[in-house]
């Protein structure tokens, strides 16, 4: 029979549909082989040679003539740093100016690569730029929340092939962030311990949902994963904000992130996915109750009427089987 599991961190109840469950390999991407991508495109705004396209560069790792990673202002930003942080209320209607930051991280000079195929050093370069921009953006007045995210593939929301990710900083704390923080505060008040640290302790003890372990990080599929192959990467050291990450931890996270994405790439045939780095709001640095982490959500299933109508999730993959499948997925020594 199916069973309901509760994810204590998100507070979501998830239906683990055992009778409808698919084998892990049935979630592989079966779309036609993607068109061959060139290493450079003259019409790509992120490719080498197009640095002067009018987009403001905020940071460059490496020499300008031989850059490794670039941070640039989004040409079509959802938020603008020049707007004033004004709040206006009229009865029950509230609004404010679109003040904030919206940047693109161009992850590599080559057009045809993806994170799963990069070297550990190249993934480390991306993480170094994430931290640098996070530290700088938190200095802006009125910034409350910083979100780092990547959309990989059309169904995940990407519109450009060139490997890139984004950083958005908002003048408010999104309600989902606030509700999850409230739950972690409640758990800390009740038990005196961090819910994330306890989750990590329990997952390591169980072992069956762990995908990959390194010195500083653990990648696992949660007990009540919201969707098939939904993965969390937790730092072993308690820290509430991503910008607290150390240089050794960045090197280790590069290995962990690349390994997990490579297992998805080879195990599920390069599925579309989103990942995001969740940190505590900027005003709540150094808390004992929140623990930053990375969430990776492969787009191997779709939400339908039940999910939209109830707010509950139906997961047709058993977390334990999914984790075992990824653990056993072999990454080629010499990838293409």
């Amino acid at each position: 029979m199916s069973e309901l599991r509760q994810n204590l961190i998100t507070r979501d109840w998830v239906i683990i549909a055992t009778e409808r469950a698919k084998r892990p390999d049935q979630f592989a991407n079966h779309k036609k082989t993607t068109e061959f991508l060139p290493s450079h495109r003259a019409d790509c705004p992120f490719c080498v040679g197009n640095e002067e396209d009018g987009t403001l560069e905020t940071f460059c790792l490496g020499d300008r003539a031989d850059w490794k990673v670039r941070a640039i202002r989004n040409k079509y930003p959802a938020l603008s740093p020049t707007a004033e942080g004004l709040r206006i209320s009229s009865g029950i209607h509230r609004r404010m100016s679109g003040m904030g930051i919206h940047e693109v991280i161009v992850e590599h000079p080559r057009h045809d690569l993806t994170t799963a195929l990069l070297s550990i050093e190249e993934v480390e370069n991306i993480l170094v730029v994430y931290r640098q921009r996070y530290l700088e953006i938190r200095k802006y007045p009125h910034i409350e929340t910083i979100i780092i995210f990547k959309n990989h593939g059309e169904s995940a929301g990407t519109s450009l092939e060139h490997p890139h990710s984004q950083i958005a900083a908002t003048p408010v704390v999104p309600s989902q962030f606030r509700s999850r923080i409230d739950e972690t505060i409640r758990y800390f008040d009740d038990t005196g311990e961090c819910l994330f640290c306890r989750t990590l302790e329990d997952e390591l003890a169980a072992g069956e949902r762990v995908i990959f372990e390194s010195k500083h990080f653990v990648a696992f599929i949660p007990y009540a994963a919201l969707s098939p192959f939904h993965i969390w990467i937790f730092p072993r050291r308690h820290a509430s904000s991503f910008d607290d990450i150390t240089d050794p931890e960045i090197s280790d996270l590069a290995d962990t992130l690349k390994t997990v994405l490579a297992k998805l790439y080879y195990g599920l045939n390069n599925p579309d996915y989103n990942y995001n780095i969740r940190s505590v709001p900027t005003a709540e640095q150094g808390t004992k109750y929140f623990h930053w982490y990375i969430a990776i959500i492969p787009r191997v299933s779709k939400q339908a009427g039940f999910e939209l109508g109830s707010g509950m999730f139906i997961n047709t993959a058993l977390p334990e089987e999914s984790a075992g499948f990824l653990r056993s997925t072999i990454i080629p020594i010499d990838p293409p």
Side-chain angles (χ1 to χ4, degrees):
M1 293 180 61
S2 296
E3 66 177 13
L4 275 72
R5 297 182 180 184
Q6 188 177 29
N7 187 316
L8 288 185
I9 289 176
T10 69
R11 300 300 296 176
D12 289 299
W13 280 98
V14 181
I15 298 175
I16 306 295
T18 52
E19 294 186 359
R20 297 168 57 187
K22 301 177 182 179
R23 297 191 312 272
D25 59 351
Q26 290 180 299
F27 289 95
N29 179 8
H30 296 299
K31 65 186 178 183
K32 293 181 180 179
T33 303
T34 54
E35 177 184 359
F36 171 77
L37 295 178
S39 61
H40 181 273
R41 285 187 56 166
D43 61 344
C44 172
F46 300 156
C47 276
V48 174
N50 296 332
E51 291 86 359
E52 305 298 337
D53 68 345
T55 305
L56 178 64
E57 182 179 274
T58 57
F59 184 75
C60 180
L61 184 65
D63 297 331
R64 186 65 188 279
D66 186 27
W67 56 271
K68 299 176 181 178
V69 181
R70 297 176 69 223
I72 60 176
R73 291 273 170 83
N74 194 310
K75 208 166 190 176
Y76 307 100
L79 299 162
S80 170
T82 60
E84 297 182 13
L86 299 177
R87 293 176 180 260
I88 301 171
S89 296
S90 177
I92 64 170
H93 301 115
R94 299 175 183 175
R95 60 190 174 94
M96 62 187 304
S97 56
M99 182 270 169
I101 306 292
H102 193 181
E103 295 186 359
V104 174
I105 307 300
V106 185
E107 299 174 346
H108 198 279
R110 280 183 55 174
H111 184 86
D112 59 337
L113 293 179
T114 183
T115 313
L117 302 180
L118 297 179
S119 68
I120 295 175
E121 181 183 357
E122 289 168 330
V123 179
E124 184 176 347
N125 289 339
I126 297 168
L127 297 173
V128 165
V129 174
Y130 283 172
R131 181 180 62 180
Q132 194 279 342
R133 294 310 302 146
Y134 199 110
L135 288 165
E136 287 300 313
I137 290 171
R138 75 154 48 248
K139 297 176 184 177
Y140 280 74
H142 308 300
I143 292 298
E144 295 285 343
T145 311
I146 302 172
I147 304 114
I148 300 172
F149 63 97
K150 181 179 177 69
N151 305 329
H152 172 74
E154 185 177 355
S155 65
T158 191
S159 57
L160 289 170
E161 301 161 339
H162 197 112
H164 68 284
S165 43
Q166 300 181 60
I167 300 179
T170 66
V172 296
V173 179
S175 60
Q176 187 192 84
F177 275 62
R178 184 61 69 199
S179 63
R180 292 188 183 184
I181 289 169
D182 289 345
E183 291 299 335
T184 60
I185 292 174
R186 184 176 294 110
Y187 185 87
F188 184 83
D189 287 345
D190 288 345
T191 66
E193 64 181 354
C194 167
L195 177 56
F196 296 87
C197 293
R198 177 56 189 271
T199 298
L200 181 57
E201 179 184 335
D202 286 359
E203 290 295 347
L204 285 170
E208 57 187 342
R209 287 174 295 274
V210 173
I211 298 168
F212 183 77
E213 290 185 58
S214 64
K215 181 178 180 180
H216 298 289
F217 293 90
V218 179
F220 64 95
I221 294 179
Y223 169 75
L226 306 185
S227 57
F229 291 91
H230 191 130
I231 299 166
W232 283 349
I233 299 176
F234 278 18
R236 294 180 187 267
R237 178 176 68 89
H238 178 87
S240 58
S241 185
F242 169 74
D243 59 333
D244 188 48
I245 192 170
T246 65
D247 289 343
E249 287 171 335
I250 279 188
S251 299
D252 196 53
L253 179 57
D255 182 23
T256 303
L257 182 59
K258 173 194 162 49
T259 299
V260 171
L261 294 179
K263 284 180 174 289
L264 288 174
Y265 183 94
Y266 292 105
L268 298 181
N269 193 26
N270 189 22
D272 295 349
Y273 64 82
N274 302 95
Y275 74 58
N276 58 77
I277 300 177
R278 288 185 174 269
S279 286
V280 77
T282 56
E284 301 177 40
Q285 183 97 349
T287 65
K288 294 181 179 179
Y289 52 79
F290 195 87
H291 196 119
W292 76 266
Y293 66 101
I294 298 178
I296 304 172
I297 305 98
R299 294 299 180 176
V300 295
S301 65
K302 294 182 179 180
Q303 292 185 12
F306 176 80
E307 286 87 354
L308 297 174
S310 67
M312 292 179 67
F313 293 85
I314 298 177
N315 188 346
T316 55
L318 299 177
E320 295 76 16
E321 289 186 1
S322 299
F325 175 78
L326 290 179
R327 277 198 307 271
S328 64
T329 297
I330 297 173
I331 302 171
I333 297 175
D334 297 314

